[in-house]
Amino acid sequence: MVVKSTAVKVRHYKWDVEYMFWAPDCEERVVMGINGQFPGPTIRAEVGDTIHVDLTNKLSTEGVVIHWHGIRQLGTPWADGTASISQCPINPGETFTYRFVVDKAGTYFYHGHYGMQRSGGLYGTLIVEVPKGQHEPFHYDGEFNLLLSDWWHESIHEQEVGLSSKPLRWIGEPQTLLINGRGQYNCSLLPNFGNSSSTQCKFSGTEQCAPQILQVLPNKTYRVRLASTTALASLNIAIGNHKMIVVEADGNYVQPFTVDDLDIYSGESYSVLINTNQNPNKNYWISIGVRGRRPNTPPALTILNYKPTSASKLPTISPPITPAWNDYNHSKSFTKNIFALMGSHTPPATYDRRIALLNTQNRIDGFIKWAINNVSLVFPPTPYLGSIKFGLKSGFDQTNPPENFPSSYDIMSPPANPNTTTGSGVYRLRYNTTVDIILQNANALGANVSEIHPWHLHGHDFWVLGYGEGKFTKDDEAKFNLKNPPLRNTVVIFPYGWTALRFVADNPGAWAFHCHIEPHLHMGMGVVLASAVERVQGIPSNALTCGLTAKMFLKKKNIP
């Protein structure tokens, strides 16, 4: 949703990233916070504003970066905040300045993009509003931001070691779901629900885990901004007795449509409108539950409080029930009902290049990995942006990664011993060309198991041309929607299915494209795209103070 800015501002922030004790779900653990807050501070800006964040790493033993999810970083690819791709990790005690322009109104968020720091709580909300005096294509009287996440009691360092072990020690399902960093473990707001020894939990409201009460006035329209920064869980959200009108997806307006509940995958964001037209003498549950995986995590619950009804008055109506975790028809019905708002830009009618990416689970010497076209991504010590810009060919694998997978591959029954290889190659895209990507899902190592994978593209939005069942064939092109496909930055690929994307490689830089499930990326499920890196100017030297680029800058300064 690109709109013209009338008054440009520079919004300055000074942030310290540090570990701290916190009780997000009523049990104290160590979380990653910013300026003593969890989740991190919310940024609000207007289209055209410049965001200036001086980020100081107060972690004593590890680096850190921040990715600004959904911000395209036009002209500032080094500010994308992806370790080993756009920049070096910020070392303990060092400060790095992120400075970039927000060019599109919408609902976004930011999160750590080094190791599994997103799982550790390094995230927050970023809202870009239309400039004052301009209007969006819908009206609302007030708004709420709901940042959704999942939470483990096992530290991210334990999780990382487990994922790199033989045999694999899987992270398991999260202990808790969080809404704006708040959830309740081992107790429920509902009578006789969960494994609490008491019938219901009592909160004064000052606890770090106390549910945030959303207060509304009767007979008003509210915009609810939703963003999912979950590490694993696909979610479904519903508001008791209230329908939701979907109006935005990933910072792009969509044709409004009404739903009773909404699926949201990791990396996605939405805006929905609700009308507070229910009985004003009651309160209502907002419920968030797990989808796409057999859930072992209780729903997250909070209260929509009709003023002047007491916020402590629990709703008398049971909360909405999350659809069955494996009711994929329900999920597909919602996803396939998202279309671009009439008058939006349509995709080019044809493509210049097509890349098919097969998502598989494989082994390397007995270690379980995820792979794309039989290559499991490993990140080099020198960021791709620097290696490509300065012609450092030893910085990463110069072998072109596979553009496709064997036509004989049976996605329903993969090879019995599917060994794979590691790689750090790059898909190099000619500038301003139109690229199609076909995401193809398959059976994992376990029998009759094919998982949901939400894929996120950095530096670009893409048109979602369509979804299908089974293996993609040329005949499936007839199903493509070229009239009003939604423009997104994150998209889901369903079990045993395919998803087709189209985008224009018009943003010079090196960009990640990966599954947004944190452990899947950690296990190799991603690729790197690069286009017109030679056009990139003004890369800050402190973005590249590691690997081969560090040696290059030291040599220029004649430092031995």
Side-chain angles (χ1 to χ4, degrees), residues 2 14 20 23 25 31 36 43 59 87 120 126 159 230 246 293 350 403 477 494 509 515 546:
V2 179
K14 288 186 180 295
M20 58 191 192
D25 64 353
V31 305
I43 290 179
L59 309 175
Q87 71 169 111
L126 196 167
Q159 293 182 41
T230 56
V246 183
R293 303 183 63 86
T350 59
E403 302 263 322
E477 290 187 40
F494 291 107
C515 178
C546 61

Side-chain angles (χ1 to χ4, degrees), residues 517-535:
I517 293 176
E518 189 89 302
H520 288 184
L521 174 60
H522 191 75
M523 296 166 68
M525 196 173 192
V527 299
V528 176
L529 313 175
S531 176
V533 175
E534 70 279 359
R535 291 173 174 258

Side-chain angles (χ1 to χ4, degrees), residues 196-262:
S196 173
S197 59
S198 60
T199 56
Q200 68 184 45
C201 298
K202 299 290 186 181
F203 295 101
S204 67
T206 60
E207 299 89 350
Q208 292 171 336
C209 62
Q212 190 175 26
I213 306 300
L214 306 182
Q215 294 187 324
V216 297
L217 294 172
N219 299 313
K220 300 289 184 181
T221 299
Y222 288 87
R223 179 182 192 169
V224 183
R225 296 181 184 264
L226 305 168
S228 175
T229 185
T230 56
L232 176 65
S234 302
L235 301 175
N236 179 274
I237 182 170
I239 305 173
N241 279 33
H242 292 74
K243 292 184 180 294
M244 297 177 286
I245 303 172
V246 183
V247 292
E248 177 215 344
D250 293 354
N252 297 285
Y253 298 130
V254 299
Q255 294 182 27
F257 65 103
T258 302
V259 294
D260 294 316
D261 59 82
L262 177 151

Side-chain angles (χ1 to χ4, degrees), residues 30-42:
V30 170
V31 305
M32 298 189 77
I34 298 175
N35 293 353
Q37 297 182 43
F38 169 77
T42 295

Side-chain angles (χ1 to χ4, degrees), residues 105-431:
T107 304
Y108 307 103
F109 60 100
Y110 60 84
H111 60 80
H113 215 296
Y114 180 52
M116 293 181 63
Q117 291 179 344
R118 173 160 54 98
S119 298
L122 187 53
Y123 45 72
T125 301
L126 196 167
I127 303 299
V128 182
E129 300 171 323
V130 296
K132 290 180 177 59
Q134 298 188 29
H135 303 284
E136 297 184 272
F138 46 83
H139 165 80
Y140 54 98
D141 302 298
E143 71 173 59
F144 302 106
N145 306 324
L146 298 184
L147 186 62
L148 314 179
S149 55
D150 40 15
W151 183 247
W152 282 258
H153 291 170
E154 185 178 57
S155 76
I156 58 173
H157 304 296
E158 291 176 279
Q159 293 182 41
E160 288 172 347
V161 172
L163 293 172
S164 303
S165 295
K166 185 171 65 172
L168 174 77
R169 296 189 183 187
W170 178 241
I171 65 172
E173 299 305 306
Q175 275 67 63
T176 317
L177 301 179
L178 306 180
I179 302 174
N180 290 340
R182 297 165 177 260
Q184 297 78 46
Y185 174 70
N186 206 26
C187 76
S188 174
L189 294 172
L190 285 176
N192 305 316
F193 185 88
N195 54 356
S196 173
S197 59
S198 60
T199 56
Q200 68 184 45
C201 298
K202 299 290 186 181
F203 295 101
S204 67
T206 60
E207 299 89 350
Q208 292 171 336
C209 62
Q212 190 175 26
I213 306 300
L214 306 182
Q215 294 187 324
V216 297
L217 294 172
N219 299 313
K220 300 289 184 181
T221 299
Y222 288 87
R223 179 182 192 169
V224 183
R225 296 181 184 264
L226 305 168
S228 175
T229 185
T230 56
L232 176 65
S234 302
L235 301 175
N236 179 274
I237 182 170
I239 305 173
N241 279 33
H242 292 74
K243 292 184 180 294
M244 297 177 286
I245 303 172
V246 183
V247 292
E248 177 215 344
D250 293 354
N252 297 285
Y253 298 130
V254 299
Q255 294 182 27
F257 65 103
T258 302
V259 294
D260 294 316
D261 59 82
L262 177 151
D263 278 353
I264 182 168
Y265 302 97
S266 177
E268 291 187 328
S269 65
Y270 291 97
S271 283
V272 299
L273 302 180
I274 62 169
N275 295 313
T276 52
N277 52 10
Q278 297 302 301
N279 186 337
N281 298 315
K282 293 183 178 181
N283 292 326
Y284 302 87
W285 292 113
I286 297 176
S287 178
I288 298 169
V290 173
R291 300 278 280 120
R293 303 183 63 86
R294 189 180 299 278
N296 193 29
T297 311
L301 296 170
T302 193
I303 295 174
L304 188 71
N305 169 223
Y306 271 62
K307 294 168 67 176
T309 303
S310 170
S312 62
K313 182 180 179 181
L314 289 180
T316 57
I317 302 174
S318 297
I321 298 174
T322 303
W325 70 271
N326 56 355
D327 184 356
Y328 294 118
N329 287 333
H330 186 88
S331 303
K332 293 172 185 178
S333 175
F334 168 76
T335 301
K336 294 179 181 180
N337 205 30
I338 302 172
F339 300 104
L341 193 66
M342 298 303 294
S344 301
H345 292 295
T346 54
T350 59
Y351 62 91
D352 300 303
R353 182 177 176 184
R354 173 170 288 169
I355 301 170
L357 301 178
L358 174 67
N359 299 232
T360 58
Q361 195 177 56
N362 304 70
R363 290 189 181 92
I364 298 179
D365 297 326
F367 293 92
I368 294 179
K369 300 292 182 182
W370 286 97
I372 303 302
N373 292 349
N374 211 39
V375 177
S376 184
L377 178 65
V378 292
F379 292 111
T382 305
Y384 288 96
L385 185 65
S387 291
I388 299 172
K389 173 66 177 177
F390 299 111
L392 305 174
K393 293 187 177 181
S394 60
F396 60 92
D397 187 354
Q398 295 298 304
T399 303
N400 293 328
E403 302 263 322
N404 210 324
F405 57 94
S407 58
S408 60
Y409 190 94
D410 185 351
I411 67 166
M412 305 298 290
S413 181
N417 186 28
N419 289 315
T420 188
T421 59
T422 58
S424 60
V426 173
Y427 291 93
R428 296 175 183 259
L429 310 176
R430 284 194 300 114
Y431 184 56

